[in-house]
Amino acid sequence: MSDNLLEIKDLHIEFRTFDGVVKAINGMSFNVPRGKTIGLVGETGAGKTTTALAVMGLVPSPPGVITSGQILFEGEDVLKMSNLKLRNIRGDKISMIFQNPMTSLNPVYRIGKQMSDVIMMHQNVDRKTAEQRAGDMLEIVGIRRERLNNYPHEFSGGMKQRVCIAMGLSCNPQLLIADEPTTALDVTIQAQILELMKGLKEKYNTSTIFITHALGVVAEIADYVVVAYAGMVIEQGSLKEIFTDPKHPYTKGLFACLPDIDSESSGALKVIPGAMPDPMQLPVGCKFCKRCPEAMKICYMKEPEDIEIAEEHKVRCHLYQMGSKKQ
Amino acid sequence: MKEKLIEVKSLKKYFKVPSGELHAVDDVSFDIYKGETVGLVGESGCGKSTIGRTILRLIPHTAGEVIYKGENILAYSDEKMRTLRREMQMIFQDPYSSLDSRKTIGQIIAEPLLINKTVPKNQINEVVLDLLSKGGVSRKLYNSYPHELDGGRRQRVGIIRALALNPSFIVCDEPVSSLDVSIQAQILNLLQELQRNMNLTYLFISHDLSVVRHISDRIIVMYLGEIVESCNANELFKNPLHPYTKALLSAVPIAKYNQQRQRIILKGDVPSPINPKPGCRFAPRCWKAKDICFNECPCLKEYSDGHQARCHFVGEADDMPAT
């Protein structure tokens, strides 16, 4: 068996709407090694969440259509699985934590019931054992087990997110997809959740896809970084490679436009001009060419391919094509 | 000597809730000088937005004064306040809900001009187009509706609308929080450029400390409705005095490889601001708290030039929590 728990290969997803075809994912490919955390970064519309939903088999259809590609989970294609099989995998082997903890819990059930439902469904145990297990999970994320009897509204935002994490981990999933799990939280609470997730990763050896737009959070938690733009991966590599030696002009731009908390300067920030291309009318060549400070003629005509720049570092940009490695 | 534009004196805002009184803003005083940017930081529920809204009288205050040009504007009649609003504007967080979805961009920006009659009707179009180019929005969008614009452009329209009446003071309530980082940088640059060109004064409310440091001259840190620390922007990052400020700074994730900083993980959540207990409001989460903290509320004291903090133990050793 390969070292990769999950392999996404040349995934294409489009949404066929009345206004036209929205090309959300255009050849997304990356791997998730066992026991590692992938930081999937990108701006709104980069296709981060759609990719995650595809892995879970949750792309709403219609209007969503997966036109081509493979998502191999333990060597088996998720896209070809029956609904029944998918249902058994979801929540058990693959589970997901959503961005907004306020809306991902059901307000009318006690969290003990919600948590034990998941456990009963997948572990074939009775309610009592399941509740017991749910209580254990709550304690792991730092919430007293008596609170199983509370309703979601009785928890603060940070605690609700911890409940979601506990629920996501309750069946010992092999793959955890965390979609912006700390974006809606305050920084001190975010720090708590990140510490918690780091600890759990060591304890359970879970592979994680951590979706976020905050590079600071990625630096904390990820082993590998995947940078997405307009539905494809434009650069990927180990945390060290991407953070110390970014190659793609977009990745460089992302780092440059962050205000530096350690700097006294308040001069103008570097910007990436313009905005993400309209997914209904994607440019022919490189999707970033219109905003790229280093764009060449070829960038407008031909889409670049993945180039391996170093071990564990791939970039999709014409600047590095054909051995013309520009430093 | 710099000229004071706004003086906030002992401002209080309590909300009545079924279980008692919610102390959203409790006895807050600070000055804003002409041409500067004051950053207001804190976590959700600490009262930052309420301060901004109370200063502009978008919500009534409970007690206190806001002195603008020598007069307490909180005592103004509604009519007098309406005239004054030309000089005091607001930029909202969510560019998706702060623009009227049934009006075109041109109509949205023209509306304050029409209402206040500052520009003769036949010149309004010209003024609007001029404003659009100042804010970096293409003239082509004049007849577009907000839903046709992306978040960054919408926020630009929100900014342009706030500028339409030539204000001197603008409350920016989390103006870049809902934007992507590449767009965030564009908007921050625009705000700074406009400040220089139009001599604007900002109260910049945000929870993002790196953004606040970048744009502010002075920073006020809030916790549960109170100011816990205020000083010059760079001083705050070099020499934070209050334990909460230290924890807050240490919690910011940094986008650099292998940057270790000693992190202070605060226990628990922000307590409820409803009927707050006596003593320091941060005490239940503070690693330095002693008996006195739970009984006696520390005052905001000045420790060095313009650096104020509210803590019983400022300057004491043993600065890091035992973990």
Side-chain angles (χ1 to χ4, degrees), chain A residues 43-44 186 188 192 261 269, chain B residues 43-44 180 182 189 213 266:
Chain A
E43 298 181 280
T44 318
D186 284 315
T188 59
Q192 286 176 0
I261 198 165
L269 294 165
Chain B
E43 298 180 279
S44 34
D180 279 317
S182 73
N189 285 350
R213 174 172 202 180
L266 289 178

Side-chain angles (χ1 to χ4, degrees), chain A residues 42-44 156 158-159 162 186-192 194-195 198 213 215-217 219-220 239-240 243-244 254-255 257-275 291, chain B residues 42-44 150 153 179-186 188-189 192 207 209-211 213-215 234 237-238 244 247-249 251-259 261 263-270 285:
Chain A
E43 298 181 280
T44 318
S156 66
M159 283 175 110
R162 273 184 271 172
D186 284 315
V187 276
T188 59
I189 308 298
Q190 167 172 292
Q192 286 176 0
L194 289 179
E195 283 301 303
K198 273 191 263 181
H213 64 268
L215 289 164
V217 174
E220 296 255 328
L239 182 70
K240 188 180 171 198
F243 274 68
T244 54
L254 273 188
F255 280 106
C257 67
L258 288 177
D260 185 352
I261 198 165
D262 293 323
S263 139
E264 289 190 8
S265 144
S266 58
L269 294 165
K270 291 222 174 75
V271 299
I272 305 175
R291 303 173 76 188
Chain B
E43 298 180 279
S44 34
D150 57 55
R153 292 210 179 83
L179 304 174
D180 279 317
V181 280
S182 73
I183 308 298
Q184 171 180 305
Q186 294 175 6
L188 289 176
N189 285 350
Q192 284 184 315
H207 66 275
L209 284 150
S210 22
V211 167
R213 174 172 202 180
H214 177 78
I215 201 158
N234 289 325
F237 286 82
K238 263 188 252 160
Y244 175 65
L248 197 63
L249 294 181
V252 178
I254 296 186
K256 284 175 193 158
Y257 178 67
N258 228 349
Q259 178 134 3
R261 64 166 59 191
R263 171 158 292 179
I264 304 166
I265 302 279
L266 289 178
K267 279 172 277 175
D269 282 305
V270 181
R285 297 175 83 194

